[in-house]
Amino acid sequence: MPTVTLLFTDIEGSTVLWEQDGARMSQALAAHDALARGAVEAHHGRVVKTTGDGIHAAFDHALDALAATVDLQQALNDPAATSGVPLRVRCGLHKGVVERRDDDYFGSSVNRAARIMSAAHGGQVLLSQAVVDDVADKLPAEVALRDLGKVRLKDLATPEQIWQVMHPLLRPEFPALRSLDATPNNLPHQATAFIGRANELAELGRLLVGARALTLTGAGGSGKTRLSLQAAADALESFPDGAWLAELAPLADPGLVAQTVATVLGLKEARGQSIAQTLCEHLNDKKLLLLLDNCEHLLDGCAQLVDTLVRRCPGVKILASSRQALGIAGEQIYRVPSLTLPDAKQTATQQSIRSFESVQLFIDRASLVRADFQVTDRNAPALASLCRQLDGIPLAIELAAARVRTLSIEEIDHKLDRRFRLLTGGSRTALPRHQTLRSLIDWSYDLLPEPEKLLLQRLSIFAGGWTLEAAEAVCADSGLEDEEILDRLTSLADKSLVVAEPADGRYRYRLLETVRQYAGAKLLERGSGDAVSERHRDYYLAVAEAAESRLRSGADQATQLRRLEEEHDNLRAALDWSLAGAASSASLRLCGSLTPFWGMRGHFAEGRDRCARVLAKARAGEQTQELAKVLQGAGRLAYMQADYAAARALHDECLAIMRQSGDRRGIAASLTYLGSVAVEQGDWSSARTLLEEGLAITRELGDRAGTAFGLANLALLAHAQGDFGSARALFEECLEIAQNQQLIASALNGLGIVACAQLDFHHARACHEKSLQIMRELGDRCGTAMNLLNLGDVASELGNTVDAEALYMEGLAIMRELGDRRGLAGALGNLGRLALDQDDLPRACSLFRESLTIQRELGDRRGIADSLAGLAAAVPRVGGSLDAARIFGAAEQLRIEIGSPLAPKDQPRHDRRVAAARSVLGDDAAFDRAWQEGRALTTEEAINLALGETVNC
């Protein structure tokens, strides 16, 4: 990490200047910014960003920073330079180690520099000892330094030796520095740096302006105390009579709260008066900030005192910290959030995670116990995981950081499932409940009434959060009535043990993972876990089955997909619990209901794994329809990953059960799915036999919907073979007998695809537009997106690239909204082919690479082959013919391995692109050798080649 010199500046009294003449101040500020930037850049510095009415700049050398600052102050001496508005700018410089990301700086050195600046007065330049050590022996001739002594800055950390820059053209004398020592207070020194929380401090500063009583609430260990102390330090200038901290944690008697505050203020109870009266008389004319820390176990006493002071002492403001609000009139409540966390969806590297507050805190505290501690790309994923598992709770992170004395980050992360044994050994001088994670939660839990303890235990069964409806269904029984769930849940949220978050017009609740593990252990101790787990399983089985029926009908599809995604962790937990016992009908029903969701959301690998686990238990039992449904769903997921051998085996097994049970509709469906697999493998003869057999059954049964489905699949077979006339006739017959709007829209979509292949573009467009209208009326978002993409194909064939682009982008947006990753990859491929046709090769490469990345994650091997071929078509035209040949060869080999040759209708375009690549190289022998090299690559090696930097694209 680099060491730089940081400069912070700020205009003193800018608020008054803005109020007096905003127009002139706007001009003056623009002139100030130009002067500041000019001074910084003239001395080899860089302006990192503007901060309110000042700047934040960085320099590689401290002497450059000093020279730039002196030049800036001299330039500001002339009011004419700032549109006639005299600006008094305070400046602070500090040198230290920083972390740089996205052209910004992070770390304790940045905070220290800002604090040094905030201690200065307008026109004053202050330096830290670190800067002085660097420049003292090489100062410019007219510059001198004045030692101002050790100063307690407003970060509450170790006092800083501060120096003032002296120059003949700068003002020499100023009032006492704006430090903690300048105003009466008893705010304690802090042995460690205050990390992050810039947004929270800004918000608290704003709230303190208007609020008389401000209470910080949050879970134990969330940093309420440290944040309130820092907020008080920042606001100290607004309270000439000081800021005073009353620590209430040691008290057990609510009647002692007022006495404790009086003792902090040096007051004694007057004869004939209560201590509260003495306090009010003393504070009546004072402008003072009173901090009450750890109020949750003394709520009545704290509430009574604060209410009295607010009503009788107009200049007094209260800043309280408590796991539960005081509950008095006029109280402003601020919930302290967890520290910011790395995104689980982003790749964690030592660079990408350093800007997150939880990571910064861990690094800072770990460095205190191991001077050689470092974050690397190797341990960054474990550190990101660790911070997420600990929910960004500062105390938990500090306890974990203390373990780096003897454990690696990876080991700590791995052992967090035993966190209550691992996270011990906090500071011996801390409150006892802050020395271990278990004692911290014990404190909150022991304060709960018995019904709330019971509810908290039962809520631990939820994974990833829950709704009120779910809590009432799962947690209520004879010992806890459903009518009281809401009030008990609200009380737990008020006490910071449950997190309540608004979502889609309602509230969703969750437990921090540490609280969840604690409550789960208590549930096991009580011995009622299985009954709660069974109710949880049954509730989410009903959710899955209801959503499945709406997904299949197309009604409210996007909402249902979002609901299932939101509840995915609960659905997983319900299925895991079912699988932990004997094979059950419920586990089959739940798994079977989820397969459409897993397919649409692209959870192919997870879905197949869960189906396999359910099937491994269920196959030994009765051959039921529920078992057949899971087999069919697993077969569809294998098909989506182009694992055609597995798909065929699963559908064969399903077909055997259907034949045994005599379920003719089920037999027809299995035959149709097997026919679809054969189509993808180019086994036209088998495909036709299977599809026609399935179609014959549905005709015999008079199943119009099944018949329409079978006709559509036969049409797709004909289309794949290039027999567009037959395909059109089959789709038209399908359209004639289709009775529901979903099948009608699907048939019209198929007719549009065939018409486009026949170059009958106007009819194709009409079919897709009619299908699109129906899909929109049904609310079928997936069907809507597919029609938009097909309309884009029509526009592309007509040469209307602007419309094609717009249609593809609209379809792409819906796929993103739905989270349909397979559809998203397909849409990206469409855009890639359009870019190829427009000779926009860099964009084509980018789109095919994005599509390929998604398909690799999904394990969609046919999609991988398509994207590889698309990328190969772009590569030679920008100078990479040999790489193109290798990628073409790899795509061909992959198609052979999965048994999915190119359809005849697609072969001519592919052949033209291969020929174009050959012609660019002009060496057939070299091209053929490279092609064979590509065929020898594994799929992963081919993907790495296509995505690697060596491919010139």
Side-chain angles (χ1 to χ4, degrees):
M1 292 184 290
T3 298
V4 299
T5 301
L6 301 163
L7 164 66
F8 275 85
T9 75
D10 182 56
I11 300 174
E12 186 178 60
S14 60
T15 302
V16 175
L17 293 172
W18 279 107
E19 291 173 352
Q20 289 175 346
D21 192 338
R24 288 185 64 211
M25 183 56 181
S26 179
Q27 295 174 352
L29 183 60
H32 160 275
D33 290 349
L35 289 171
R37 185 173 295 276
V40 168
E41 293 177 353
H43 292 279
H44 315 295
R46 51 200 172 276
V47 175
V48 178
K49 58 186 173 184
T50 56
T51 55
D53 293 329
I55 64 163
H56 170 201
F59 299 81
D60 293 330
H61 302 288
L63 201 59
D64 287 336
L66 175 62
T69 308
V70 171
D71 284 356
L72 173 60
Q73 288 288 22
Q74 290 183 61
L76 292 169
N77 280 339
D78 181 7
T82 50
S83 301
V85 179
L87 298 181
R88 298 184 302 276
V89 174
R90 48 184 179 170
C91 304
L93 290 98
H94 177 60
K95 180 180 178 180
V97 174
V98 295
E99 298 159 14
R100 186 172 184 178
R101 183 178 181 224
D102 297 333
D103 295 323
D104 202 354
Y105 291 91
F106 303 91
S108 59
S109 294
V110 178
N111 299 332
R112 200 71 166 165
R115 298 295 180 194
I116 292 170
M117 179 273 292
S118 67
H121 295 275
Q124 191 173 29
V125 179
L126 300 181
L127 312 180
S128 69
Q129 185 65 50
V131 175
V132 172
D133 289 344
D134 196 8
V135 303
D137 59 350
K138 45 193 171 188
L139 290 172
E142 295 182 308
V143 174
L145 301 176
R146 174 184 288 175
D147 186 353
L148 300 182
K150 286 188 177 293
V151 176
R152 286 189 68 200
L153 301 172
K154 292 181 183 178
D155 56 6
L156 300 175
T158 308
E160 179 72 51
Q161 187 79 28
I162 297 294
W163 299 73
Q164 178 183 325
V165 174
M166 307 295 291
H167 188 278
L169 298 180
L170 300 185
R171 176 183 167 188
E173 302 299 330
F174 295 92
L177 296 180
R178 304 170 186 266
S179 66
L180 288 176
D181 298 323
T183 305
N185 71 88
N186 71 336
L187 301 180
H189 287 279
Q190 298 296 315
T192 55
F194 182 78
I195 304 295
R197 301 291 201 188
N199 293 334
E200 289 89 336
L201 286 173
E203 179 66 9
L204 290 176
R206 185 187 68 79
L207 291 174
L208 272 174
V209 172
R212 293 290 311 284
L214 174 59
T215 302
L216 276 59
T217 66
S222 62
K224 300 182 294 295
T225 298
R226 191 69 185 268
L227 182 59
S228 66
L229 290 172
Q230 190 57 59
D234 285 351
L236 203 55
E237 292 177 21
S238 300
F239 298 97
D241 293 306
W244 303 94
L245 169 67
E247 295 180 336
L248 306 180
L251 301 185
D253 181 359
L256 295 177
V257 173
Q259 180 60 63
T260 300
V261 173
T263 300
V264 166
L265 296 175
L267 302 179
K268 295 182 179 180
E269 187 173 340
R271 181 175 297 178
Q273 285 186 327
S274 68
I275 192 64
Q277 289 173 318
T278 301
L279 275 172
C280 288
E281 284 190 6
H282 175 75
L283 296 174
N284 183 57
D285 60 348
K286 300 290 192 296
K287 194 170 183 180
L288 173 148
L289 180 64
L290 176 63
L291 285 76
L292 300 179
D293 191 37
N294 291 294
C295 300
E296 57 271 355
H297 61 304
L298 307 166
L299 284 177
D300 290 342
C302 291
Q304 185 175 359
L305 176 63
V306 172
D307 183 63
T308 299
L309 293 178
V310 166
R311 285 187 290 104
R312 296 182 56 183
C313 306
V316 172
K317 295 196 176 188
I318 314 294
L319 181 58
S321 64
S322 175
R323 298 183 197 184
Q324 185 174 359
L326 303 182
I328 63 172
E331 178 185 20
Q332 173 71 58
I333 302 169
Y334 180 82
R335 180 173 178 81
V336 176
S338 296
L339 299 174
T340 57
L341 293 165
D343 189 340
K345 297 178 182 178
Q346 301 295 323
T347 301
T349 65
Q350 62 91 16
Q351 184 68 18
S352 69
I353 66 174
R354 283 184 178 272
S355 64
F356 296 99
E357 294 169 340
S358 54
V359 174
Q360 293 173 19
L361 179 64
F362 187 97
I363 293 171
D364 182 84
R365 301 308 191 250
S367 298
L368 295 177
V369 298
R370 280 199 66 149
D372 61 346
F373 175 78
Q374 287 188 334
V375 179
T376 65
D377 285 342
R378 180 176 178 178
N379 63 26
L383 178 52
S385 170
L386 181 156
C387 291
R388 288 193 297 268
Q389 286 198 71
L390 295 178
D391 301 298
I393 299 173
L395 178 63
I397 291 171
E398 291 189 348
L399 291 171
R403 285 291 182 176
V404 302
R405 292 187 186 96
T406 55
L407 295 173
S408 69
I409 294 178
E410 293 89 343
E411 288 173 318
I412 297 171
D413 179 51
H414 180 69
K415 292 177 181 293
L416 280 181
D417 58 345
R418 293 172 285 167
R419 65 187 65 190
F420 295 111
R421 281 186 291 169
L422 177 69
L423 302 185
T424 61
S427 169
R428 291 189 177 90
T429 61
L431 292 171
R433 65 175 182 268
H434 285 182
Q435 293 179 17
T436 72
L437 197 58
R438 179 177 291 280
S439 61
L440 176 73
I441 304 177
D442 279 339
W443 168 261
S444 295
Y445 184 79
D446 290 342
L447 292 174
L448 297 177
E450 189 58 33
E452 289 178 18
K453 289 181 179 178
L454 180 58
L455 178 57
L456 185 66
Q457 291 170 16
R458 293 177 178 178
L459 292 172
S460 69
I461 211 70
F462 291 102
W466 67 89
T467 61
L468 174 60
E469 176 191 18
E472 290 172 338
V474 173
C475 297
D477 64 4
S478 58
L480 193 63
E481 300 297 328
D482 57 2
E483 304 89 54
E484 63 179 309
I485 295 293
L486 175 58
D487 289 341
R488 298 294 182 189
L489 185 59
T490 302
S491 180
L492 289 172
D494 289 342
K495 293 166 183 172
S496 302
L497 285 165
V498 167
V499 179
E501 298 168 325
D504 295 330
R506 59 191 172 90
Y507 270 87
R508 187 168 179 83
Y509 305 87
R510 64 181 174 90
L511 295 177
L512 297 179
E513 184 58 28
T514 298
V515 175
R516 180 171 177 260
Q517 289 193 22
Y518 178 94
K522 293 289 186 182
L523 181 65
L524 288 176
E525 290 174 12
R526 188 179 288 265
S528 58
D530 283 347
V532 180
S533 293
E534 186 174 1
R535 291 198 297 269
H536 177 270
R537 190 273 315 280
D538 291 345
Y539 177 80
Y540 284 103
L541 172 59
V543 167
E545 290 182 333
E548 181 200 13
S549 66
R550 296 176 72 86
L551 284 176
R552 292 192 185 280
S553 69
D556 203 20
Q557 193 177 64
T559 299
Q560 295 305 315
L561 285 171
R562 282 197 298 271
R563 173 85 188 279
L564 290 173
E565 194 69 66
E566 183 179 60
E567 299 291 5
H568 203 178
D569 285 336
N570 279 309
L571 294 163
R572 289 170 173 136
L575 192 53
D576 287 342
W577 182 80
S578 292
L579 286 170
S584 68
S585 170
S587 61
L588 285 166
R589 287 168 57 197
L590 182 54
C591 187
S593 296
L594 288 174
T595 51
F597 161 70
W598 286 327
M600 294 182 74
R601 281 292 195 181
H603 300 300
F604 303 147
E606 177 181 356
R608 290 184 67 186
D609 176 67
R610 291 185 177 276
C611 286
R613 289 163 56 196
V614 169
L615 291 170
K617 280 202 166 188
R619 281 187 172 111
E622 186 180 351
Q623 303 294 287
T624 63
Q625 293 289 317
E626 291 161 348
L627 173 61
K629 184 176 179 179
V630 175
L631 288 165
Q632 187 179 91
R636 294 294 294 155
L637 292 170
Y639 173 90
M640 291 175 183
Q641 285 194 305
D643 188 351
Y644 299 125
R648 185 171 59 249
L650 288 160
H651 286 307
D652 277 335
E653 190 177 352
C654 178
L655 177 61
I657 295 175
M658 294 299 184
R659 290 193 190 280
Q660 181 181 352
S661 67
D663 182 346
R664 302 279 284 163
R665 278 190 172 84
I667 292 170
S670 291
L671 289 168
T672 302
Y673 285 128
L674 283 165
S676 297
V677 172
V679 169
E680 293 300 327
Q681 293 187 298
D683 186 354
W684 315 126
S685 176
S686 296
R688 182 168 299 280
T689 299
L690 290 161
L691 293 172
E692 287 180 346
E693 184 183 350
L695 180 61
I697 294 172
T698 58
R699 287 190 192 277
E700 179 186 330
L701 293 171
D703 179 359
R704 293 172 68 95
T707 299
F709 183 59
L711 288 167
N713 278 280
L714 272 171
L716 291 172
L717 168 61
H719 177 263
Q721 291 179 287
D723 184 357
F724 302 130
S726 296
R728 189 165 186 162
L730 287 162
F731 274 127
E732 285 172 347
E733 184 181 355
C734 174
L735 184 60
E736 287 176 8
I737 67 169
Q739 290 181 310
N740 69 61
Q741 292 295 94
Q742 193 86 26
L743 281 171
I744 290 170
S746 296
L748 286 167
N749 183 51
L751 279 170
I753 292 172
V754 173
C756 187
Q758 291 178 308
L759 309 184
D760 187 355
F761 300 123
H762 296 292
H763 183 59
R765 183 165 56 199
C767 290
H768 286 308
E769 285 175 347
K770 191 177 293 186
S771 177
L772 176 63
Q773 180 184 352
I774 296 171
M775 290 296 188
R776 281 181 164 154
E777 290 171 356
L778 289 174
D780 186 334
R781 299 289 284 159
C782 187
T784 297
M786 292 306 300
N787 274 283
L788 287 166
L789 297 175
N790 289 333
L791 278 168
D793 289 341
V794 173
S796 178
E797 293 290 349
L798 288 169
N800 192 341
T801 56
V802 174
D803 284 353
E805 172 97 6
L807 289 160
Y808 286 151
M809 291 301 292
E810 188 177 353
L812 179 74
I814 294 174
M815 292 301 187
R816 286 195 193 278
E817 176 195 339
L818 291 175
D820 184 344
R821 295 163 71 208
R822 189 167 189 250
L824 176 60
L828 290 165
N830 286 359
L831 282 164
R833 286 184 286 276
L834 182 65
L836 273 179
D837 293 341
Q838 294 175 299
D839 284 330
D840 188 350
L841 305 181
R843 185 165 187 246
C845 286
S846 175
L847 289 162
F848 283 124
R849 280 176 163 166
E850 186 178 355
S851 178
L852 178 59
T853 299
I854 296 171
Q855 286 152 344
R856 170 201 246 171
E857 293 169 357
L858 296 177
D860 180 358
R861 295 198 291 168
R862 177 171 177 175
I864 290 170
D866 288 340
S867 290
L868 286 173
L871 189 63
V875 169
R877 291 150 71 183
V878 287
S881 290
L882 288 177
D883 280 334
R886 294 184 184 99
I887 297 170
F888 270 130
E892 177 187 64
Q893 182 61 30
L894 181 54
R895 287 189 176 281
I896 292 170
E897 289 174 5
I898 63 177
S900 179
L902 273 173
K905 68 182 182 65
D906 295 326
Q907 194 69 51
R909 174 177 288 183
H910 175 77
D911 291 343
R912 289 195 298 272
R913 288 176 174 168
V914 172
R918 280 185 181 277
S919 66
V920 170
L921 182 63
D923 186 339
D924 284 352
F927 191 89
D928 289 339
R929 284 194 300 273
W931 187 289
Q932 293 305 315
E933 289 169 6
R935 290 194 59 183
L937 296 174
T938 65
T939 300
E940 192 62 21
E941 288 171 340
I943 293 171
N944 289 336
L945 170 63
L947 298 179
E949 295 180 359
T950 59
V951 171
N952 184 14
C953 186

